Amino acid sequence: MLKASRGGYDGRGVWMLRADELEAFFDQYSGAPLVLEPKLPLDLELAVLVARNPSGQVEVWPVLETVQVNGMCDEVLLPANVSATLAAEAEHIGRQIAELLEAVGVFAVELFVSSGKLLINEIAPRVHNSGHVTIEASATSQFSQHLRAILDWPLGPTHSLSRAAVMANVVGTAGKDPRESQAVALATVPQAQIHLYGKESRPGRKIGHVTVLGEDLSQCRTSAALAAAALSAGHSAISDGPPND
């Protein structure tokens, strides 16, 4: 695995190469310095959201599972499909990092689960795409918590408000304005919570997200995916009517 040391995000600046491809790659590469890492077997990916205020109070949200497609976060699942022991370990790692760094505000720790073990992938010192699910799914959203933290106010509770929640990112396509498809998405998935960012729609660009809460994680995933597809692809994305859930 080769990773650019600057400017990489959403799968950009990452290359998976065989050993016999390295020389040709370096001959034509002229970007930022690179980091070379071994390719790991990944079971799944997690994200831990943490908040800390200057007084030292720390709050951690329940661990999230992130699903990547082409190097970009496609879905965020709550709860994560991991054991209670592994979830507690991930949340403990997030808390430890907050305390060691004396962080202020909300930040995210991205983790790989590889052969059953946790490995830190990234520390993002900011509110995070994976945390958008907390807007509807948590007692305190990451944005409200961030304001509390930087103002040194008491932090809010972080427990989940439903048994299951799924956030699906809305990815742009050429020539499609997702605002034109909101009615279609809501007719298909009435319980969907739609957030559009006002960005120009371009292929491969995150331009919004959809969150669905419910009792069953699988049904939430189906519903969120249908709504996100309608917003990404336009009216033609929906043809089969509302899902059964």
Side-chain angles (χ1 to χ4, degrees):
M1 297 289 297
L2 279 174
K3 298 181 180 180
S5 59
R6 293 191 301 273
Y9 69 98
D10 286 344
R12 297 167 177 83
V14 178
W15 300 270
M16 286 191 294
L17 301 173
R18 300 189 309 270
D20 60 0
E21 296 175 318
L22 289 174
E23 184 175 353
F25 176 85
F26 286 125
D27 285 344
Q28 55 83 37
Y29 181 76
S30 60
L34 296 166
V35 177
L36 179 64
E37 297 180 348
K39 184 180 178 182
L40 299 172
L42 298 184
D43 304 332
L44 48 83
E45 297 188 38
L46 305 176
V48 178
L49 288 173
V50 186
R52 181 182 179 276
N53 65 20
S55 295
Q57 182 186 2
V58 177
E59 293 291 340
V60 184
W61 282 264
V63 64
L64 305 166
E65 181 178 346
T66 63
V67 179
Q68 316 295 319
V69 175
N70 297 324
M72 180 187 295
C73 180
D74 186 61
E75 295 176 288
V76 176
L77 314 180
L78 178 64
N81 183 28
V82 295
S83 68
T85 299
L86 200 65
E89 182 182 349
E91 292 167 15
H92 179 66
I93 288 171
R95 181 180 293 273
Q96 279 190 310
I97 290 173
E99 293 171 345
L100 288 170
L101 296 180
E102 297 184 348
V104 172
V106 168
F107 70 96
V109 180
E110 296 181 9
L111 299 157
F112 293 144
V113 182
S114 179
S115 301
K117 297 181 179 180
L118 291 173
L119 300 171
I120 297 173
N121 174 41
E122 178 183 332
I123 300 173
R126 53 181 169 78
V127 292
H128 195 252
N129 179 235
S130 66
H132 294 344
V133 70
T134 65
I135 297 171
E136 285 86 21
S138 302
T140 307
S141 78
Q142 66 168 348
F143 298 103
S144 175
Q145 196 81 296
H146 185 67
L147 290 174
R148 291 184 185 218
I150 62 176
L151 292 169
D152 204 14
W153 290 356
L155 300 181
T158 55
H159 61 270
S160 301
L161 299 178
S162 65
R163 186 180 298 274
V166 173
M167 186 207 81
N169 276 314
V170 178
V171 180
T173 53
K176 297 289 186 180
D177 186 340
R179 294 173 296 183
E180 298 175 357
S181 302
Q182 287 187 86
V184 175
L186 289 172
T188 306
V189 186
Q191 71 273 35
Q193 301 293 324
I194 296 173
H195 299 263
L196 299 177
Y197 307 152
K199 295 179 178 180
E200 178 186 354
S201 181
R202 297 198 302 265
R205 187 186 199 190
K206 287 185 286 197
I207 56 174
H209 71 270
V210 174
T211 301
V212 174
L213 310 184
E215 294 297 309
D216 181 82
L217 188 65
S218 178
Q219 290 182 350
C220 288
R221 290 187 76 176
T222 298
S223 297
L226 281 170
L231 293 163
S232 292
H235 291 228
S236 61
I238 302 300
S239 59
D240 298 328
N244 293 329
D245 61 334

